[in-house]
Amino acid sequence: MKFILTSYRKDSDSPACETDVSYVGVESLAKLFGFTADSLVDTYPLDKVQAAALGRLTGMTFDMDHHEYFLEAEAEAD
């Protein structure tokens, strides 16, 4: 499974940025969203608490006033 963090400007429907955050690990990402690792299979919006926690894990910063962020689980091609 591959995990992509997608950022959208609040006034836009097109992604502003996509970042692969798979290196964080499925267990850490699942814990962040309150799921088990095997049920993290969809698209999930980040709230401020989740963004802050993901920032600590990745070193990324989040502009929650101007962007919306989503974690997207994608199946990897064989």
Side-chain angles (χ1 to χ4, degrees), residues 11-51:
D11 59 357
S12 177
D13 291 332
S14 299
C17 182
E18 294 182 342
T19 305
D20 186 343
V21 294
S22 301
Y23 64 90
V24 171
V26 66
E27 293 291 336
S28 294
L29 292 170
K31 184 177 179 180
L32 183 70
F33 284 89
F35 295 103
T36 59
D38 62 340
S39 63
L40 193 64
V41 296
D42 206 348
T43 298
Y44 307 95
L46 267 74
D47 62 27
K48 289 183 180 184
V49 172
Q50 293 162 330

Side-chain angles (χ1 to χ4, degrees), residues 36-73:
T36 59
D38 62 340
S39 63
L40 193 64
V41 296
D42 206 348
T43 298
Y44 307 95
L46 267 74
D47 62 27
K48 289 183 180 184
V49 172
Q50 293 162 330
L54 189 57
R56 287 190 295 276
L57 293 171
T58 63
M60 298 171 69
T61 58
F62 298 91
D63 180 359
M64 301 299 284
D65 292 329
H66 298 104
H67 289 83
E68 295 176 317
Y69 299 90
F70 297 87
L71 180 70
E72 301 177 14

